[in-house]
Amino acid sequence: DQQVKQNSPSLSVQEGRISILNCDYTNSMFDYFLWYKKYPAEGPTFLISISSIKDKNEDGRFTVFLNKSAKHLSLHIVPSQPGDSAVYFCAASHMEYGNKLVFGAGTILRVKS
Amino acid sequence: KAGVTQTPRYLIKTRGQQVTLSCSPISGHRSVSWYQQTPGQGLQFLFEYFSETQRNKGNFPGRFSGRQFSNSRSEMNVSTLELGDSALYLCASSLRSGLAGAKGPETQYFGPGTRLLVL
């Protein structure tokens, strides 16, 4: 049972435009959400997170939006740059899980110059 | 500051064998978590160790085990390897175990992974 779903395996965006990556979850116990970015031959790198008490968190070009009623979150990258091309993983956690993260399958983002 | 290191980076084994993977966390980090990544799946949590104690465990069979040493280095072992165990095994380190606080999981820093191929 996949509790965290990233339904788009890949996304292609033009440089300078907005990239929107989506993530859905089924477990209403999740109260913390994270996005990780992964380049080939490297481990995932933490990007941005959001607690369930918020609906938006911004960090530079990256913004994460959380819609709890829809059990949906999205990552917006504005403006997109070629160096953003990577696999993006959405992850969720619950306070009682400690450091255990439940990951989605990932979305490959390609930013074309 | 050196990042998380994992050895070996690549490994080929045959069915029925056992394998031990090693992870050295970032200096000062005391929590190490292990994840398995297979094609089409996200990263799946195996277990977390903190202060040499297993703090959390995922839904993997008992063939998967781990341990942590007093210097926070961690090893994971897979016995009686199956073809389906072929995967990228990632470890992640963090300062503390997330259970130590109530603000959510600690930021985890991942190593490059060990790619295991079972033939």
Side-chain angles (χ1 to χ4, degrees), chain A residues 3-77:
Chain A
Q3 299 183 69
V4 177
K5 298 177 185 179
Q6 294 178 256
N7 291 319
S8 299
S10 65
L11 175 69
S12 188
V13 170
Q14 198 66 36
E15 180 180 6
R17 305 296 292 268
I18 184 172
S19 295
I20 300 176
L21 297 107
N22 294 304
C23 178
D24 297 296
Y25 62 96
T26 57
N27 189 340
S28 56
M29 296 283 285
F30 288 144
D31 55 14
Y32 206 82
F33 305 90
L34 308 91
W35 285 93
Y36 276 81
K37 177 171 76 173
K38 186 180 186 299
Y39 293 118
E42 294 182 14
T45 303
F46 170 74
L47 204 52
I48 192 169
S49 63
I50 187 167
S51 162
S52 60
I53 62 173
K54 295 185 175 181
D55 54 18
K56 177 182 173 182
N57 189 27
E58 256 180 287
D59 185 1
R61 297 187 296 114
F62 303 90
T63 303
V64 56
F65 295 91
L66 175 62
N67 181 334
K68 281 185 295 183
S69 60
K71 294 191 178 70
H72 177 84
L73 64 154
S74 61
L75 174 69
H76 292 209
I77 307 174

Side-chain angles (χ1 to χ4, degrees), chain B residues 3-26:
Chain B
V4 178
T5 57
Q6 291 187 246
T7 56
R9 293 292 310 276
Y10 304 93
L11 205 50
I12 300 175
K13 292 284 187 179
T14 54
R15 278 183 301 174
Q17 286 187 310
Q18 72 154 17
V19 67
T20 299
L21 311 180
S22 180
C23 172
S24 293
I26 292 171

